Amino acid sequence: LKAVEKIATEAATKKLTVISLLSREQGASIEELMTATGWQKHSVRGFISNLKKRCEFEIKVVDSRYCLK
């Protein structure tokens, strides 16, 4: 049970990390998000896609940088 809690906590922390980076005025590049989370490029893109699909956030891309609107 503790292992499941740890995984859930890590996932929530990574989600908050991504949202925090996207919230910055300059947004975040794929590379920055990959470094911050330890995820591969396709995982970062999938996560961002899910944020958009769930209508949790409106995300735009400006000069290859993802930003929250």
Side-chain angles (χ1 to χ4, degrees):
L1 187 60
K2 286 192 175 195
V4 172
E5 290 174 355
K6 181 179 179 185
I7 291 169
T9 301
E10 288 176 2
T13 301
K14 287 185 179 185
K15 180 177 180 178
L16 291 174
T17 298
V18 170
I19 292 168
S20 173
L21 290 171
L22 295 176
S23 298
R24 300 182 304 179
E25 186 176 325
Q26 72 271 25
S29 67
I30 285 281
E31 290 77 17
E32 289 171 329
L33 295 171
M34 289 170 57
T35 300
T37 60
W39 295 341
Q40 294 181 359
K41 188 179 286 189
H42 68 275
S43 298
V44 171
R45 287 187 175 141
F47 182 81
I48 290 172
S49 177
N50 281 331
L51 285 178
K52 289 180 182 179
K53 285 180 186 176
R54 293 180 183 163
C55 297
E56 291 184 43
F57 299 97
E58 191 173 344
I59 299 170
K60 64 180 179 175
V61 180
V62 178
D63 297 327
S64 299
R65 298 185 70 82
Y66 292 89
C67 306
L68 291 180
K69 272 188 165 183

